[in-house]
Amino acid sequence: MRLFLDTANIDHIRHGVELGVITGVTTNPSLVSKEGKVDYRELVKEICSVVPGPVSTEVLSQTASGMIAEAREVAKWADNVVVKIPASLEGLKATSVLSKENIRVNFTLCFSLNQALLAAAAGATFISPFVGRLDDIGEDGMRVVVDIVQFLDYYELPTQVIAASIRHAQHCVLAAKAGAHIATVPYSVLLQIIHHPLTDIGIKRFTDDWRNVMGETGILATRTESDPHELTN
Ligand code: E4P
């Protein structure tokens, strides 16, 4: 499972990419609004220049013709732009048109297998089931991811699943187990999932054991007597 960052914050994106694990980004109008009043075109272009893979930007129009016009424009901004189109009837119509023009679509705000099968039929590159928002209303969000992955595998369809609306570390575990191609995670979750208390305890114990015998001498400073060309204290 690949990891995307779900944010429009350029510092967080730069950090995620530096870590070498973030291969794409998803944004939405709410996430962009968190960055204040920005030049949207410039922001998207900057994100696209930093990120090695797909960067999803969402349309605001609610008619197919409006979505298509927006998508055609933003697709010119960078080669790795993907247009997020909502899983509405108008969105479906727009997706069918755009995919025939080889404009990559991320079919977003998806909450059911039926919406996903329509996305695949319309040629969407990505489908984004929103796990957390389904959990919020008492449904099993990850079940929808499992069902969509099984459906796409069974019919050998190329549409990729982005597990979205990921809220915590356990969502990541379940998305990976479900076989989602991608999980798009908030920056806070990215920082969370590297962390394990036993790792911290283990690092401290190894360091303490070493220091008890070797003192403050580091590994690079220990190869001295046998090879004079090696580092010394
Ligand atoms: C995905 O593409 C969306 O931007 C995002 O995951 C929505 O998450 P939320 O439900 O936490 O707002």
Side-chain angles (χ1 to χ4, degrees):
M1 183 175 77
R2 289 187 289 147
L3 287 175
F4 288 3
L5 260 191
D6 194 30
T7 182
N9 183 286
I10 194 70
D11 295 331
H12 293 171
I13 292 169
R14 280 187 200 284
H15 187 211
V17 171
E18 263 167 32
L19 292 172
V21 295
I22 294 301
T23 57
V25 160
T26 52
T27 67
N28 64 42
S30 304
L31 291 172
V32 173
S33 304
K34 280 191 190 165
E35 302 309 308
K37 197 160 179 173
V38 290
D39 179 332
Y40 186 51
R41 185 167 180 268
E42 286 312 307
L43 178 67
V44 170
K45 285 173 93 170
E46 189 176 6
I47 295 172
C48 287
S49 71
V50 168
V51 177
V55 174
S56 292
T57 76
E58 192 150 344
V59 297
L60 282 170
S61 300
Q62 289 175 24
T63 61
S65 58
M67 292 176 196
I68 291 165
E70 279 185 53
R72 284 177 180 155
E73 173 57 27
V74 298
K76 291 182 204 153
W77 294 351
D79 288 344
N80 51 341
V81 159
V82 172
V83 186
K84 258 177 148 181
I85 303 277
S88 61
L89 202 56
E90 291 295 298
L92 185 62
K93 190 169 156 189
T95 299
S96 298
V97 171
L98 293 167
S99 60
K100 286 186 188 71
E101 295 178 13
N102 292 323
I103 292 177
R104 291 186 295 171
V105 170
N106 174 354
F107 208 59
T108 190
L109 287 165
C110 168
F111 296 98
S112 73
L113 176 57
N114 279 334
Q115 288 176 318
L117 71 87
L118 289 168
T125 304
F126 301 104
I127 174 83
S128 290
F130 276 35
V131 176
R133 292 194 194 188
L134 280 167
D135 290 355
D136 288 345
I137 59 161
E139 292 192 26
D140 181 357
M142 203 53 75
R143 183 72 241 167
V144 177
V145 175
V146 171
D147 289 347
I148 295 171
V149 169
Q150 273 178 6
F151 151 71
L152 294 171
D153 280 357
Y154 185 82
Y155 291 101
E156 298 180 347
L157 295 167
T159 304
Q160 294 184 44
V161 177
I162 304 180
S165 190
I166 295 287
R167 302 277 172 76
H168 47 71
Q170 187 61 9
H171 273 157
C172 275
V173 170
L174 295 175
K177 284 184 169 180
H181 303 86
I182 297 143
T184 188
V185 301
Y187 183 65
S188 58
V189 172
L190 174 67
L191 299 185
Q192 239 178 53
I193 60 177
I194 183 62
H195 189 74
H196 196 288
L198 288 179
T199 305
D200 298 340
I201 291 167
I203 291 171
K204 184 172 180 334
R205 190 178 300 162
F206 288 153
T207 311
D208 290 348
D209 288 348
W210 177 277
R211 281 188 182 147
N212 283 341
V213 175
M214 311 281 193
E216 290 300 318
T217 309
I219 287 193
L220 291 179
T222 58
R223 296 166 293 165
T224 53
E225 284 169 19
S226 55
D227 181 354
H229 300 296
E230 291 286 354
L231 292 166
T232 64
N233 273 327

